[in-house]
């Protein structure tokens, strides 16, 4: 007769350190391929957003010009789209539903009248770096 032994308890087996490291390396490689493409798309979408906002601000400035008979001065700036300049009886604003937005990188838009780029006025964002000039995402985006 066989002796009765207590059944062996099976211990649940976890992952080894080597298996975890292999999985981490695979995830890192996948992230290395995907991340640059993702961030390039984010940059392109911010440039498109800046162009759309400049277009909307350009239209609001033109509406101001139609009502008042002149463009806002550089000193009045884009604030004249939401707040009537002093002694302007023909101002029929506000010309924007909300406050003047910042560009997609958190910098204020630059407005100058008269403009230097063959326009009556210049409206621009200096891009991601917030400095004049640049290339790629750092390039100036304007209404010209």
């Amino acid at each position: 007769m066989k002796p009765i032994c207590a059944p062996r308890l099976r211990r649940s087996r976890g992952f080894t350190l080597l298996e975890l490291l292999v999985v981490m390396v695979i995830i890192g490689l996948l992230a290395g391929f995907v991340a640059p493409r993702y961030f390039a798309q984010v940059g392109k979408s911010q440039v498109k957003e800046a162009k759309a906002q400049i277009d909307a601000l350009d239209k609001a400035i033109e509406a101001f010009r139609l009502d008042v008979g002149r463009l806002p001065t550089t000193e009045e700036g884009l604030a004249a789209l939401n707040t009537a300049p002093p002694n302007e009886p023909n101002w029929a604003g506000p010309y924007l539903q909300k406050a003047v937005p910042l560009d997609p990188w958190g910098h204020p838009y630059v407005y100058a009248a008269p403009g230097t780029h063959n326009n009556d006025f210049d409206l621009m964002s200096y891009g991601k770096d917030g400095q004049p000039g640049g290339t790629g995402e750092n390039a100036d985006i304007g209404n010209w």
Side-chain angles (χ1 to χ4, degrees):
M1 189 166 171
K2 277 186 163 181
I4 300 177
C5 296
R8 277 190 161 173
L9 294 175
R10 290 192 71 176
R11 293 194 313 179
S12 62
R13 186 168 173 249
F15 294 108
T16 66
L17 181 60
L18 181 61
E19 291 169 330
L20 289 174
L21 288 174
V22 168
V23 170
M24 297 283 283
V25 167
I26 291 171
I27 290 172
L29 288 172
L30 289 173
F33 288 122
V34 173
R37 291 183 183 171
Y38 171 75
F39 288 115
Q41 293 301 320
V42 170
K44 288 178 187 176
S45 67
Q46 288 175 321
V47 170
K48 287 180 184 177
E49 180 183 356
K51 288 179 181 179
Q53 286 179 339
I54 286 172
D55 185 52
L57 291 170
D58 188 275
K59 288 180 172 118
I61 292 168
E62 290 298 336
F64 178 97
R65 183 196 325 224
L66 286 173
D67 288 344
V68 177
R70 65 172 180 84
L71 290 168
T73 64
T74 302
E75 292 75 28
E76 291 170 339
L78 298 175
L81 300 175
N82 284 333
T83 306
N87 303 320
E88 279 301 337
N90 294 331
W91 189 84
Y95 298 96
L96 296 172
Q97 292 179 352
K98 298 179 181 177
V100 177
L102 297 176
D103 72 8
W105 300 279
H107 307 292
Y109 284 100
V110 178
Y111 172 79
T116 58
H117 293 92
N118 297 325
N119 282 325
D120 295 333
F121 64 94
D122 286 346
L123 181 59
M124 70 187 102
S125 165
Y126 286 139
K128 185 176 183 177
D129 63 354
Q131 302 296 321
T135 59
E137 290 180 45
N138 295 332
D140 298 347
I141 303 163
N143 65 335
W144 53 89

